[in-house]
């Protein structure tokens, strides 16, 4: 059984948050610039709209960087394809009996839920990160925290 996926150090709380201060700085550097957050040309217009919607809705978090373009492109494509399959099923409910159709829906849904977690697009993912941020903001640094910061 694979281990749990890594989470940003900014979402850590308590004693772990103190230990991960350096990791947080590294993650911020790795996020890099966000001046090239634009969809790839091969995305359709609806996919580009989905891309921009995600970028605009996540803008206030300052967590998206230029390297996230690839994940955002895939997420936009996945959402668009799921919506197309949903429209198809609504117009012709008999396709829900087709094994290939159901398999495709399941694969795309699995992919979609992964992007939800990675991009904070689900209520559960947002609750996880907001709870951690709130706890980190409320925590006052100890003397050891301040001394350890001077070592950086």
């Amino acid at each position: 059984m694979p281990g749990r996926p890594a989470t940003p150090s900014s979402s850590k709380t308590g004693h772990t948050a103190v230990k991960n201060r350096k990791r947080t700085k590294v993650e911020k550097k790795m996020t890099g610039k966000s001046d090239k957050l634009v969809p790839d040309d091969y995305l359709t217009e609806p996919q580009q709209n989905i891309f921009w919607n995600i970028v605009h809705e996540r803008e206030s978090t300052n967590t998206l960087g230029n390297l996230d373009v690839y994940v955002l492109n895939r997420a936009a494509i996945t959402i668009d394809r799921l919506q197309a399959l949903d429209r198809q099923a609504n117009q012709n409910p008999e396709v829900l009996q087709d094994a290939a159709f159901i398999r495709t829906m399941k694969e795309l849904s699995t992919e979609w839920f992964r992007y939800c977690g990675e991009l904070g697009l689900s209520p559960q993912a947002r609750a996880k990160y907001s709870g951690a941020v709130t706890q980190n903001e409320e925590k006052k640094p100890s003397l050891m925290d301040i001394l350890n910061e001077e070592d950086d």
Side-chain angles (χ1 to χ4, degrees):
M1 186 158 100
R4 298 174 77 191
T7 57
S9 61
S10 60
S11 70
K12 304 289 184 187
T13 59
H15 186 65
T16 308
V18 174
K19 284 185 170 183
N20 286 317
R21 236 176 249 260
K22 287 182 183 179
R23 182 176 158 200
T24 301
K25 288 179 183 180
V26 171
E27 284 177 10
K28 283 184 180 182
K29 285 182 183 178
M30 288 180 70
T31 299
K33 297 179 181 179
S34 59
D35 59 336
K36 296 177 185 170
L37 281 173
V38 294
D40 284 336
D41 293 338
Y42 63 84
L43 266 60
T44 64
E45 186 176 336
Q47 291 167 350
Q48 289 183 17
N49 290 338
I50 293 167
F51 180 102
W52 285 119
N53 185 41
I54 295 169
V55 169
H56 290 300
E57 293 298 326
R58 301 299 295 151
E59 209 167 39
S60 65
T61 65
N62 294 320
T63 56
L64 294 177
N66 292 337
L67 291 174
D68 297 314
V69 165
Y70 308 108
V71 174
L72 289 163
N73 283 323
R74 288 300 315 157
I77 291 167
T78 300
I79 294 167
D80 182 56
R81 290 183 179 163
L82 274 169
Q83 289 175 339
L85 291 175
D86 283 336
R87 280 190 295 275
Q88 187 178 352
N90 286 342
Q91 291 171 355
N92 180 15
E94 290 152 11
V95 297
L96 295 172
Q97 303 300 318
D98 180 40
F101 183 88
I102 297 299
R103 185 174 48 253
T104 302
M105 284 289 287
K106 284 182 180 179
E107 289 171 2
L108 287 171
S109 294
T110 299
E111 193 174 333
W112 163 238
F113 287 121
R114 193 178 108 238
Y115 295 131
C116 283
E118 289 186 24
L119 296 171
L121 301 179
S122 70
Q124 180 182 6
R126 289 190 301 274
K128 173 183 169 186
Y129 293 121
S130 67
V133 168
T134 303
Q135 286 182 352
N136 284 340
E137 287 175 354
E138 291 173 358
K139 183 182 181 298
K140 301 214 186 272
S142 68
L143 180 57
M144 284 304 291
D145 293 340
I146 295 168
L147 293 173
N148 287 334
E149 223 174 68
E150 291 177 4
D151 291 340
D152 294 337

